[in-house]
Amino acid sequence: MINQGEATIFEKSVPQRRAIRFPATEGLPSSKDGLPAEHRRAASAALPEASELDVVRHYTRLSQLNFSIDTHFYPLGSCTMKYNPKINDQIALGPRFSKLHPLQPDETAQGILEALFRLERALCELCGMDAFTLQPSAGAQGEFVGVLVARAYHQKRGENRTEILIPDSAHGTNPASASLGALTPISVRSNARGRLDLADFKSRLSPKTALVMLTVPNTLGLFEDDILEIAEAAHRAGALLYMDGANFNALAGLVKPGDLGVDMAHLNLHKTFSTPHGGGGPGAGPLGVKKHLEDFLPVPRVVEEAGLYRLRGDFPLSVGRVRAFFGNVGVLVRAYCYLRRHSAKEFRQISESAILHANYLKALLKPAFEAFVDEPCMHECILQTDPKRMNGVRTMDVAKRLLEYGFYAPTVYFPLIVPEAMMLEPTETESKQTLDEFARAMLAIAEEARKTPERVKAAPQSLPVKRLDEVGAARNPDLSWPGRVSSS
Ligand SMILES: *Cc1c(COP(=O)(O)O)cnc(C)c1O
């Protein structure tokens, strides 16, 4: 395997080796003439010396050390690692969009302003909302803006509400965004069916509740089937209902959050609407609101006036600007292309396929792994490894062994309320053959756990890196090559 043990480019360095050599310059001033002595190096920089071919091969090999959606099935639950059409990348990277300057006068940037305006309208249509802001750069930032909007709304009504109710199964960004926005997060229990416990929820609602933040489908991949009652109770208590719609690929074309009593919802364009992601970005987490919250949205907003698209900043109740310029425009362009490409009916099919695939995978895997809630799921399913049934083999072992079978691992140990959790999201873009192959690998690992558990516990053996000290890697990253970098 070519990928094994790729040395660093410093180790491959050979003195005096060059990619290109420039001809001697005649008649031009040399750097020695212009640069003051104190700014000149005493010795050459300790850079690797390599040929062009060395460099191309090295970085191509490095790029293959990783798993990616372009090379492997990637069932990372909650992250929606689906295939995104490359054509949308091409359009976004084309000069008409990528060469625009963000400070260009509006009259010279009508194309992008129209695309953003129409994207907002299309998202309103899909979500049953009245207005959207495209500024937030991630789901987490959408949540944060939602918290700011809720605070501004209550303040305007002369109410001092300081609490936000969040289910105990929620994504960690929910309480983090709440704290950043100076609301106190209050955790609400899940019931035995993996849904919000209504009695616990109602007991925590109070005149201090500003916002209820509900994830739909929730992080167990389940529809919150009491949402109408939750919305009604929240509104009766004077609170707003926020829907974390990061995983809208289970709902698009099927359900409009606005019809469920939701006042605000964010979407993750990098999960549902065709932006490849991984390694942390870039993304976009647009926030949609109902009419009564529209005036609080961030500025500037794109408006259409007398046949011209403009950026308008004069919304006195706005929470202000939350992002430089207009957000991650490249992501927004991809989403707009994706939306133009599919009809409402196709969105329905996309969501139905995502749901069907998750339920299919769950049915195949159930003989070996426990389903946390044994009910039909939406776009993802939560399974558990039972170490008692598997000779002490745990979820982490299964995940590591899976890499050796050529599959990226599902999300593990999340949601936090599920012991030995595995969160599988096959997405709508995979074929039945791929799902079958993946299930065969999972069942083979379960069989190994019964017969040769040590093999699973020691995995991976055949990959470039074995088991990492993950906490150490995050807390004490070693990011430089100590051998040759000059310390002066
Ligand atoms: C991914 C996700 C988020 C966070 O989105 P980011 O873009 O990573 O900030 C929030 N909530 C849920 C349910 C998610 O799946």
Side-chain angles (χ1 to χ4, degrees):
M1 223 172 122
I2 60 160
N3 284 338
Q4 294 278 352
E6 181 70 11
T8 67
I9 192 77
F10 288 97
E11 291 164 291
K12 294 187 165 179
S13 174
V14 174
Q16 300 301 316
R17 190 169 280 178
R18 290 279 181 280
I20 36 172
R21 285 177 201 279
F22 293 104
T25 49
E26 263 174 57
L28 292 173
S30 99
S31 61
K32 292 202 181 81
D33 301 331
L35 206 58
E38 70 266 29
H39 293 317
R40 276 189 245 135
R41 289 184 194 280
S44 298
L47 298 174
E49 298 172 272
S51 73
E52 185 171 340
L53 203 49
D54 291 340
V55 171
V56 169
R57 287 186 181 152
H58 174 68
Y59 287 104
T60 303
R61 284 188 188 126
L62 280 188
S63 76
Q64 293 169 344
L65 288 178
N66 227 339
F67 283 74
S68 77
I69 187 66
D70 287 344
T71 52
H72 297 84
F73 177 50
Y74 213 111
L76 195 64
S78 183
C79 297
T80 313
M81 303 302 275
K82 70 181 183 182
Y83 173 74
N84 295 296
K86 300 284 185 250
I87 179 84
N88 298 338
D89 290 343
Q90 271 179 26
I91 295 170
L93 293 171
R96 285 165 186 228
F97 290 117
S98 65
K99 297 270 188 276
L100 282 169
H101 194 284
L103 294 177
Q104 252 172 257
D106 293 349
E107 311 83 72
T108 68
Q110 286 294 293
I112 185 65
L113 292 178
E114 181 175 352
L116 299 180
F117 182 84
R118 287 173 174 241
L119 174 60
E120 286 183 6
R121 295 319 311 159
L123 295 178
C124 284
E125 178 61 32
L126 269 177
C127 293
M129 289 288 160
D130 294 310
F132 255 89
T133 172
L134 303 175
Q135 279 188 33
S137 302
Q141 202 187 8
E143 296 162 16
F144 174 65
V145 175
V147 169
L148 295 186
V149 166
R151 277 184 35 197
Y153 168 81
H154 291 303
Q155 217 161 34
K156 167 118 192 306
R157 291 159 55 95
E159 296 198 12
N160 180 26
R161 292 174 176 257
T162 53
E163 292 180 353
I164 175 170
L165 305 191
I166 303 175
D168 59 5
S169 64
H171 205 277
T173 51
N174 289 189
S177 305
S179 299
L180 207 59
L183 288 184
T184 307
I186 310 280
S187 183
V188 182
R189 263 201 313 272
S190 299
N191 62 25
R193 288 182 60 236
R195 271 76 167 192
L196 192 74
D197 185 306
L198 270 184
D200 192 46
F201 166 65
K202 287 182 179 165
S203 76
R204 290 175 196 279
L205 265 178
S206 81
K208 284 198 284 185
T209 314
L211 197 58
V212 176
M213 192 173 265
L214 198 64
T215 303
V216 187
N218 70 21
T219 56
L220 296 161
L222 301 167
F223 189 76
E224 287 287 351
D225 35 22
D226 286 326
I227 186 162
L228 296 178
E229 198 174 336
I230 292 168
E232 202 199 286
H235 291 151
R236 216 178 317 117
L240 295 168
L241 179 61
Y242 183 104
M243 186 184 111
D244 178 339
N247 297 298
F248 200 59
N249 50 325
L251 299 183
L254 287 175
V255 179
K256 296 185 180 187
D259 294 345
L260 301 174
V262 168
D263 300 289
M264 282 189 270
H266 84 262
L267 306 175
N268 276 28
L269 298 189
H270 46 294
K271 289 179 181 168
T272 307
F273 294 96
S274 184
T275 281
H277 64 117
L287 174 74
V289 298
K290 285 285 189 66
K291 202 83 201 157
H292 53 288
L293 300 173
E294 181 172 357
D295 290 344
F296 303 101
L297 286 182
V299 284
R301 297 185 52 201
V302 188
V303 295
E304 187 190 11
E305 283 167 356
L308 215 65
Y309 296 95
R310 288 208 304 119
L311 287 170
R312 248 184 72 185
D314 53 333
F315 292 91
L317 294 176
S318 164
V319 298
R321 178 186 273 287
V322 296
R323 175 68 163 75
F325 305 117
F326 332 116
N328 275 333
V329 165
V331 174
L332 304 175
V333 171
R334 286 171 177 84
Y336 182 59
C337 295
Y338 189 67
L339 276 155
R340 289 299 301 266
R341 170 71 182 72
H342 297 290
S343 65
K345 186 166 158 242
E346 284 171 326
F347 269 108
R348 191 187 178 99
Q349 286 166 351
I350 288 170
S351 298
E352 285 173 350
S353 298
I355 294 169
L356 180 65
H357 291 184
N359 282 286
Y360 179 65
L361 210 49
K362 179 163 158 246
L364 292 180
L365 297 179
K366 246 172 53 178
F369 300 91
E370 330 294 314
F372 182 63
V373 175
D374 200 3
E375 279 184 39
C377 60
M378 294 204 73
H379 65 302
E380 59 194 0
C381 63
I382 310 287
L383 298 175
Q384 294 171 281
T385 311
D386 181 355
K388 287 199 287 294
R389 265 177 72 194
M390 294 221 194
N391 289 319
V393 163
R394 304 184 56 206
T395 281
M396 186 55 84
D397 306 317
V398 175
K400 295 293 183 189
R401 182 73 176 125
L402 203 45
L403 301 174
E404 294 190 290
Y405 276 86
F407 295 104
Y408 195 75
T411 296
V412 294
Y413 299 102
F414 182 78
L416 302 175
I417 58 170
V418 181
E420 296 296 324
M422 271 186 291
M423 187 183 212
L424 296 106
E425 180 175 5
T427 80
E428 74 277 8
T429 54
E430 297 294 339
S431 66
K432 177 172 180 299
Q433 285 74 16
T434 301
L435 301 187
D436 287 341
E437 281 166 28
F438 174 78
R440 271 198 295 278
M442 287 286 283
L443 296 176
I445 293 169
E447 188 62 23
E448 285 177 350
R450 277 185 285 277
K451 293 189 178 144
T452 51
E454 293 318 315
R455 175 153 196 201
V456 184
K457 288 181 201 171
Q461 291 298 316
S462 63
L463 296 179
V465 283
K466 308 282 178 286
R467 293 226 183 176
L468 295 172
D469 171 359
E470 288 170 12
V471 175
R475 297 235 169 112
N476 310 301
D478 182 3
L479 301 176
S480 68
W481 168 248
R484 302 251 317 222
V485 175
S486 130
S487 57
S488 65

